[in-house]
Amino acid sequence: MTKKATDIVAYITIIGWLVAYFAGTRDESKFHLNQGLILGILSLAVSIIATVLGFIPLVGFIIGLVAWLIDLGLLALMIIGIINACNEKETPLPLIGFIKLI
């Protein structure tokens, strides 16, 4: 897998990130792999929290709306990351670009 393909696939769900990590150019794509991993972890955490708290009658509705808004924001960040990967830029994503896991 080329560097550009690895960078793009790293943003597409956790499964896409795993494919990019194991089949792609890991050393050249660390920046986008890191950004994609952060997005995946945040998305998973929001889903788990919304599911667990969703069983509380009134609070669950409010948490569901907040989780939906956060998911929209994460989708926007994913699109920004894919656009940066397509243009071969290593620009940090807003709000989460400072986090380094890899």
Side-chain angles (χ1 to χ4, degrees):
M1 193 182 282
T2 66
K3 179 189 181 317
K4 191 172 187 178
T6 302
D7 292 347
I8 293 168
V9 173
Y11 288 100
I12 304 172
T13 72
I14 292 290
I15 295 171
W17 186 88
L18 288 170
V19 169
Y21 185 79
F22 289 112
T25 55
R26 214 177 303 164
D27 296 331
E28 298 172 5
S29 299
K30 276 190 177 182
F31 179 80
H32 291 289
L33 284 168
N34 182 60
Q35 300 283 302
L37 180 62
I38 294 166
L39 280 174
I41 290 172
L42 286 175
S43 178
L44 187 64
V46 168
S47 297
I48 290 171
I49 291 169
T51 301
V52 169
L53 296 178
F55 292 111
I56 304 170
L58 182 60
V59 177
F61 177 72
I62 295 169
I63 293 293
L65 287 177
V66 171
W68 183 76
L69 291 173
I70 292 172
D71 281 340
L72 280 178
L74 292 175
L75 176 65
L77 290 176
M78 182 180 77
I79 291 170
I80 291 169
I82 290 172
I83 291 171
N84 286 338
C86 287
N87 294 329
E88 297 180 2
K89 293 181 184 177
E90 290 190 355
T91 307
L93 294 174
L95 303 174
I96 64 167
F98 65 91
I99 303 170
K100 303 285 184 234
L101 297 178
I102 297 178

